[in-house]
Amino acid sequence: MDSSERRRRPARHERSVVALAFWSGLPGAAFALWWAWGQPHPLHVQLTVTLVVVAAWLGGAMVLRERVAWPLQTLANIIAAIREGDYGIRAHPGDPEDALGVAYLEINTLGEMLRGQRLRAVEADALLRRVTAEIDVGVFAFDAGGTLRLVNRAGTRMLRRSADELIGRSAGELGLAGALDGESPRTLDLTVAGASGRWEVRRSSFRLDGRPHALLVLTEVSRALRAEERDAWRRLIRVLGHEINNSLAPIKSIAGSLRAQLGRPVRAADFDADLAAGLGVIENRTESLGRFLAAYSALAKLPPPRLAPLRVAEWVARVAALEPRLSVSIRPGADVTITADSDQLDQALINLVRNAADAALESGGCVELSWTADPAAVEVRVDDEGPGLPDPGNLFVPFFTTKLRGTGIGLVLSRQIAEAHGGTLALESRVPLRGARARLRLPRSA
Ligand code: ADP
């Protein structure tokens, strides 16, 4: 209700206060008038009494009307000011013991509280606007009809148009219709503003003015993916180059020296032995390249696990018995069964035990296999007393190896197997003890 409307309406409350005062004064006034006019008094006494009675009666009613209406008017003005957002206006604090004083006190407290809330809301709004403007992901809000209502700075950069040009356009016109339905989050190939790329799409809904809206967050992933791919290729080429060179260089030098010997008119007496040794090296290097490629294929072609129940105790004992170079001791945990692909898990654990045995043999230590189980997962540990880990940052880089005949595939393959089962693989130094510990954690039901 606005104030003009309020003014137009009859002041019913005030009139009823006046009426109340009138009726409450009526018996007294009637009695006084009866006393003045009903008794034999001189006329001037009768007139004076009548004047005084009527003046006191009507004046009292008016004063009472003011006393009741004025504080209410003050309270209404303060509430109106608060409603308009003017929190500076205050009621004069009256006596906190009387009803009016309490009302003033409460209205002042309410004003103070709303002022604090408004301030916090303005600050939070400013912070939110700043964050949305600064973040490097596109944020778009669409109404139920698919019309853009809000876009942040990254969104305008992405669509290469100003916010004013974008707001009010439909998702279809902006090339974002595909992102408004389907699964969320997901990655999507989108062509926006003439450029195509891979985007991660996250969608949620919110209500504005009681109406449903969709909030779309788009993150460009192609650039990050390309950088990762470039990195992976660089690593792969470095390792492949190193491995192939290691094989080609001796093959080339041996072939050259054998050819030189063949060209001589008289061959040296030990030529046959040289030839055999040279061919042996060539064979050896070719085999090594073959091994390397086989290991690489194993990594690239890991099939999805075929799940079946697997008793952890049996699996661990079977793998421990496969290590021929030293005896692997077992510290058994709870007798639990997990759901897993036993061939793949054998392979993963064989790699870890082989690494542990390599390390332990280097420094004359032991290898121990143990496991613990909680309601969600089983953790198998392979502890060795070897020299410890070389460079923890490189361990899971494909083809990283510090061994003469190593492939650098074992740990990567084991981790891939663990992750394909929803588990993890980590390697750490056993500080302050000697050696390293591999922790293979697998969910009890994949
Ligand atoms: P490979 O055994 O063929 O070298 P891996 O991927 O299995 O390939 O291991 C990569 C490297 O990680 C090894 O060359 C070795 O330097 C290091 N490593 C793995 N396990 C251990 C361990 N238990 N103790 C010390 N170093 C380890």
Side-chain angles (χ1 to χ4, degrees):
M1 182 182 15
D2 70 14
S3 47
S4 55
E5 193 185 336
R6 208 180 302 142
R7 248 178 271 122
R8 270 196 317 271
R9 294 186 73 180
R12 274 178 53 198
H13 180 65
E14 282 93 327
R15 277 195 292 126
S16 65
V17 169
V18 171
L20 197 66
F22 178 82
W23 290 113
S24 11
L26 185 64
F31 178 76
L33 291 177
W34 168 80
W35 176 81
W37 295 93
Q39 308 295 318
H41 293 299
L43 182 66
H44 71 275
V45 170
Q46 288 174 324
L47 287 174
T48 309
V49 169
T50 305
L51 205 66
V52 168
V53 165
V54 171
W57 188 20
L58 294 181
M62 286 306 150
V63 168
L64 188 65
R65 176 187 181 279
E66 271 313 292
R67 290 284 298 173
V68 172
W70 185 78
L72 287 177
Q73 194 59 52
T74 308
L75 286 174
N77 289 344
I78 295 170
I79 292 170
I82 291 175
R83 185 163 52 79
E84 305 278 317
D86 177 1
Y87 301 105
I89 192 160
R90 288 273 174 284
H92 180 67
D95 182 353
E97 295 295 313
D98 71 35
L100 194 61
V102 173
Y104 283 159
L105 189 74
E106 286 300 328
I107 203 93
N108 285 348
T109 316
L110 179 70
E112 199 56 49
M113 193 183 88
L114 290 176
R115 194 167 81 103
Q117 280 180 358
R118 162 70 72 95
L119 202 66
R120 282 195 293 279
V122 167
E123 283 170 355
D125 187 52
L127 179 68
L128 187 68
R129 279 174 193 279
R130 170 58 66 89
V131 171
T132 349
E134 294 300 327
I135 50 171
D136 201 20
V137 297
V139 178
F140 305 87
F142 288 94
D143 64 17
T147 306
L148 186 68
R149 293 287 164 221
L150 189 141
V151 56
N152 74 337
R153 206 183 297 159
T156 59
R157 269 201 309 272
M158 192 182 283
L159 298 177
R160 299 204 191 113
R161 274 189 257 176
S162 70
D164 290 341
E165 289 172 295
L166 293 172
I167 286 172
R169 289 181 181 264
S170 72
E173 284 176 279
L174 301 173
L176 297 176
L180 271 186
D181 33 48
E183 233 179 89
S184 166
R186 72 183 198 276
T187 32
L188 198 66
D189 290 313
L190 282 176
T191 305
V192 279
S196 53
R198 212 121 231 254
W199 303 86
E200 189 195 54
V201 177
R202 286 176 181 272
R203 202 181 55 251
S204 53
S205 56
F206 69 101
R207 294 186 91 81
L208 189 65
D209 293 335
R211 283 195 297 276
H213 283 66
L215 185 73
L216 204 62
V217 179
L218 294 185
T219 321
E220 203 199 345
V221 286
S222 357
R223 224 178 311 150
L225 279 182
R226 278 198 290 275
E228 276 283 306
E229 272 168 25
R230 260 201 309 276
D231 248 27
W233 275 112
R234 219 175 280 145
R235 271 200 312 254
L236 186 64
I237 287 167
R238 200 179 57 224
V239 178
L240 281 176
H242 177 76
E243 197 64 24
I244 292 170
N245 264 339
N246 274 355
S247 301
L248 287 186
I251 290 175
K252 186 167 179 249
S253 112
I254 287 165
S257 81
L258 289 178
R259 189 152 53 86
Q261 287 200 44
L262 272 177
R264 284 189 204 146
V266 185
R267 286 180 199 155
D270 55 357
F271 174 72
D272 283 357
D274 272 2
L275 184 64
L279 289 175
V281 172
I282 290 174
E283 196 182 354
N284 181 299
R285 293 318 309 165
T286 328
E287 263 172 21
S288 152
L289 256 186
R291 252 199 329 274
F292 179 79
L293 287 177
Y296 177 71
S297 319
L299 187 66
K301 289 186 205 148
L302 184 72
R306 283 202 310 267
L307 303 176
L310 172 69
R311 262 189 74 207
V312 174
E314 274 174 18
W315 162 46
V316 168
R318 184 168 62 233
V319 172
L322 287 177
E323 177 52 58
R325 295 169 294 167
L326 49 74
S327 126
V328 176
S329 56
I330 297 178
R331 190 148 49 88
D335 185 11
V336 285
T337 299
I338 59 174
T339 319
D341 182 322
S342 73
D343 288 343
Q344 286 191 4
L345 284 197
D346 277 4
Q347 188 57 54
L349 198 54
I350 287 171
N351 292 343
L352 301 180
V353 171
R354 195 194 301 132
N355 278 343
D358 287 344
L361 287 169
E362 223 178 284
S363 50
C366 305
V367 174
E368 184 186 77
L369 271 169
S370 61
W371 71 92
T372 55
D374 61 41
V378 171
E379 186 174 287
V380 178
R381 295 181 189 142
V382 187
D383 292 339
D384 67 66
E385 293 176 328
L389 299 173
D391 178 356
N394 277 338
L395 290 178
F396 291 95
V397 172
F399 315 116
F400 168 79
T401 180
T402 53
K403 299 172 195 165
L404 206 58
R405 294 169 66 89
T407 57
I409 294 293
L411 285 180
V412 193
L413 187 60
S414 299
R415 178 176 269 183
Q416 262 197 19
I417 293 173
E419 287 175 355
H421 282 78
T424 55
L425 171 65
L427 226 71
E428 61 200 25
S429 288
R430 292 169 66 209
V431 195
L433 300 172
R434 259 199 314 156
R437 162 175 290 178
R439 293 175 354 140
L440 178 60
R441 194 173 165 81
L442 297 162
R444 288 182 64 164
S445 56

